[in-house]
Every structure is written in C-alpha cells, then in structure tokens.
C-alpha cells in the first residue's frame, strides 16, 4: 500500500507497472464458475464479465500487449477481439486465481465502497457510450464502449493501492463542493489523475485510439465527446437525478446522436436500467437511484388535455 505520495508521476507509473492488479470479488467468482463450466465458457460469456469490471478489462488488453509479436501489425482495441485472438482457456488459466479488490482493501471500507462506486459508474458509462455510439452509426461502437469503461482506471488504481490518499482527496471535495476534482488530486498527489491515466496507457502500450478517445484534449472529435459525455452522465446520475448538470448531459447526448431530447432520454434510461440491474457486482444491495418518471411530450400533454375536457 502507498501511504505517502510518491516522488513524481513517473514513480506512480513504475509502481503500477510492477503491481499485480486485482478484480472485483464478483468477477473472481464468475471466472471460477466459467472454469468449472468447461466448454460452456465462451468468448461472449468471458467478455460479459469484463464489461462489468474495468480492472479485468484492462488486464485482458494488457495481456495481449505484453505478448504482442512483430507479426501483429494492427492494434486490437476491444476486449472481445483480444479474447478471440488469445483464447478463452488461456485467459481463464491466467486469471482464474487472482487477488480481489475486496481482499486488497480489507480494513479500508470507505475506500472499498468508493472504488466499487467508481467501477459501477464506469460500467454505466460504457453502456451509455455504446448506446449513443450505435445511434451515431459509429465506425466501432466497441472501441467507444471500451474507452468509457477504462476512462477512470487511474482513479480506481489509486483507490485500490493508496486508499488513505484517495480518501483525503474525497474528503477535500466533500468539505468544499466547489472544489474541482483535478485541483484536489493535484494538491494530494501532485498531479491530476488524467495525467496518470494517459501516462499509464502509454506505458502499457495500449492502442493509441483508446488513449485518444479518453483524452478530452481531442474534444473536437464526436467519438471523444461521446466518451466524455457518457462518463460525465454516469458521474452525475450517481449524485442523484436532481444533479444540476444532467439536463446539459442529455442535451449533449442529443446533439451527438441526432435524436430529440426526449428520444435521447428514453434510450439513455434503457442503458441506465441495464446498469442498475448489475448492482450485485458493486454492492450488497441495490444502490443506484431509480430513473425519474418520463417527462411529458407535447403529444402526451395534448392527449391528457383532451381527456380532461371530455371527463364528466
């Protein structure tokens, strides 16, 4: 465990480069079940596990990059394609007995709860990004989904390996609601987490397209905006449906998808409902706020008015 800030950004990158990364307990249990199922373990079933757990998805991508040969000329940018290339049995053998986030953070319950919430947000963001990318007719929905899933991996890693420092950042933000996350992160760590995020992607030689999709410095690209908006939306929903930023999130998503705001809201809430169903991965009981009631459309309002006028 890291108790005090390391000397600089490079020192953090070196630390995570040599660390054994964990997965969620639910992921661990799912991998054991897939091992026991024999031929029942498929590319789709293993990929479904990874889509719930950003740490496991990251490790699958890194597994291929560490073994990349000079004959592989194109990047493999999604979890499913890595599984297809490497093989289900190979990955289950590699990760069947792996440390869990829950064991790593035993004795650090507040940090554990916070890390699980961030991982739940990541899953929610990935589902929203996938949904919006489909309506945008994106060239590769799965890339956008993967980037959204991994967008906050640096925060997750700091929470896992430096829980006291992570809690200090959170305490600063709790004490001052106006304090922006990058500012609090720089005070405690010496840098904003996005810098660590991009440095780790570079160190791990993950596909450059994933780095670009996570970097809001490229916000002129709709694919980057899709990832950023999905991540922001999931964060705001976690605060509650009364979060003041949500209307802007829906508006931005509507511009990206070309749908009306009402249609955007409907398809987005479909993704949110799917994310809410995955609560056992992240908590002991359901913990996502239920979606608010659908707003009335002009057509609905007209119909209700007509019904009211015809009532006895």
């Amino acid at each position: 465990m890291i108790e005090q800030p390391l000397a600089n950004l490079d020192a953090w990158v070196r630390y995570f480069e040599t660390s054994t990364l964990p997965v969620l307990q639910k992921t661990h249990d799912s991998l054991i079940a897939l091992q026991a199922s024999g031929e029942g373990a498929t590319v789709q079933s293993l990929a479904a596990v990874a889509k719930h757990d950003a740490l496991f998805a990251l490790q699958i991508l890194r597994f291929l990059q560490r073994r990349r040969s000079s004959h592989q000329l194109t990047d493999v940018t999604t979890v499913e394609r890595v599984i297809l290339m490497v093989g289900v049995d190979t990955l289950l053998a590699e990760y069947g007995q792996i440390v869990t986030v829950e064991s790593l953070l035993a004795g650090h319950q507040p940090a554990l709860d916070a890390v699980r919430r961030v991982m739940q947000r990541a899953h929610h963001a990935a589902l929203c990004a996938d949904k919006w990318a489909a309506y945008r007719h994106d060239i590769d929905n799965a890339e956008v989904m993967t980037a959204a899933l991994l967008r906050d991996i640096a925060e997750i890693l700091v929470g896992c390996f430096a829980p006291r420092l992570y809690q200090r950042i959170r305490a600063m933000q709790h004490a001052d609601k106006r304090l922006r996350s990058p500012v609090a992160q720089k005070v405690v760590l010496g840098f904003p987490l996005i810098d660590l995020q991009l440095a780790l992607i570079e160190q791990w030689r993950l596909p450059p397209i994933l780095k670009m999709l996570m970097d809001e410095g490229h916000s002129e690209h709709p694919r980057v905006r899709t990832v950023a908006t999905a991540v922001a939306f999931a964060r705001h929903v976690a605060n509650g449906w009364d979060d003041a930023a949500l209307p802007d999130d829906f508006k931005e998503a509507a511009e990206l998808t070309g749908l009306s705001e009402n249609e955007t809201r409907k398809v987005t809430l479909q993704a949110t409902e799917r994310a809410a169903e995955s609560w056992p991965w992240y908590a002991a009981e359901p913990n996502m706020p239920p979606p608010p009631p659908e707003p009335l459309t002009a057509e609905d309002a007209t119909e209700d008015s007509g019904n009211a006028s015809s009532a006895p």
Side-chain angles (χ1 to χ4, degrees), residues 6 69 131 133 166-167 178 214 276 289:
L6 301 182
S69 72
K131 179 73 75 171
Y166 184 54
Q167 286 301 101
R178 298 168 300 176
M214 296 182 211

Side-chain angles (χ1 to χ4, degrees), residues 14 42 88 108 123 125 205 256 270:
R14 289 194 298 272
T42 65
V88 172
H108 298 277
H123 175 60
R205 302 192 305 279
L256 285 164
Q270 290 169 7

Side-chain angles (χ1 to χ4, degrees), residues 21-284:
L21 304 188
V23 298
L24 289 166
Q25 182 66 50
K26 176 71 171 171
T27 301
H28 175 273
D29 296 344
S30 298
L31 295 177
I32 296 297
L34 286 176
Q35 284 181 319
S37 71
E39 294 183 1
T42 65
V43 171
Q44 291 74 23
S45 61
L46 185 56
V49 173
K51 289 173 183 177
H52 287 86
D53 188 329
L55 285 166
F56 185 45
L58 170 65
Q59 292 182 69
I60 289 176
L61 291 170
R62 287 187 67 198
F63 183 90
L64 179 63
Q65 291 305 111
R66 289 196 300 265
R67 292 157 179 78
R68 182 168 180 166
S69 72
S70 58
H71 302 294
Q72 183 186 324
L73 301 179
T74 59
D75 288 323
V76 183
T77 56
T78 69
V79 168
E80 278 191 333
R81 288 174 204 148
V82 173
I83 299 172
L84 278 169
M85 180 172 289
V86 174
V88 172
D89 292 342
T90 299
L91 289 168
L92 287 177
E94 179 75 10
Y95 296 111
Q97 297 294 332
I98 191 171
V99 67
T100 67
V101 173
E102 287 79 359
S103 62
L104 190 64
L105 288 176
H108 298 277
Q109 191 64 42
L112 174 59
D113 291 341
V115 166
R116 282 170 164 170
R117 284 194 295 270
V118 176
M119 296 182 75
Q120 185 173 32
R121 274 183 5 219
H123 175 60
H124 185 193
L127 293 178
C128 290
D130 182 48
K131 179 73 75 171
W132 298 341
Y135 279 95
R136 283 194 57 254
H137 305 290
D138 193 277
I139 57 173
D140 193 336
N141 295 14
E143 283 183 351
V144 174
M145 185 180 192
T146 301
L149 180 65
L150 299 181
R151 171 58 179 76
D152 286 331
I153 201 71
E155 180 177 353
I156 293 168
L157 289 173
V158 170
C160 286
F161 290 93
R164 289 189 173 86
L165 296 178
Y166 184 54
Q167 286 301 101
R168 195 183 306 169
I169 294 170
R170 290 172 50 80
M172 289 177 63
Q173 293 182 271
H174 182 74
D176 183 356
K177 302 296 186 184
R178 298 168 300 176
L179 185 64
R180 291 176 57 81
S181 298
V183 175
Q185 294 157 7
K186 190 167 184 177
V187 168
V188 175
L189 303 175
F191 51 82
L193 282 173
I194 186 60
D195 289 358
L196 177 60
Q197 175 94 11
L198 298 177
L200 286 171
I201 293 170
E202 191 76 26
Q203 176 67 28
W204 290 332
R205 302 192 305 279
L206 297 186
I209 186 62
L210 293 181
K211 181 179 179 181
M212 189 271 280
L213 289 173
M214 296 182 211
D215 186 354
E216 293 180 27
H218 297 284
S219 59
E220 71 276 11
H221 295 284
R223 304 182 83 206
V224 176
R225 287 168 53 208
T226 301
V227 172
T229 305
V231 170
F233 174 75
R235 186 188 316 116
H236 297 148
V237 168
N239 295 334
W241 288 102
D242 57 349
D243 190 290
L246 284 171
D248 288 339
D249 293 336
F250 281 120
K251 183 178 179 180
E252 176 69 12
E255 292 177 359
L256 285 164
T257 59
L259 300 173
S260 70
E261 288 196 34
N262 274 348
E263 284 298 317
T264 300
R265 181 186 175 92
K266 287 178 182 178
V267 301
T268 302
L269 293 185
Q270 290 169 7
T272 297
E273 287 167 359
R274 280 185 60 199
E277 292 168 359
S278 299
W279 65 264
W281 291 79
Y282 316 104

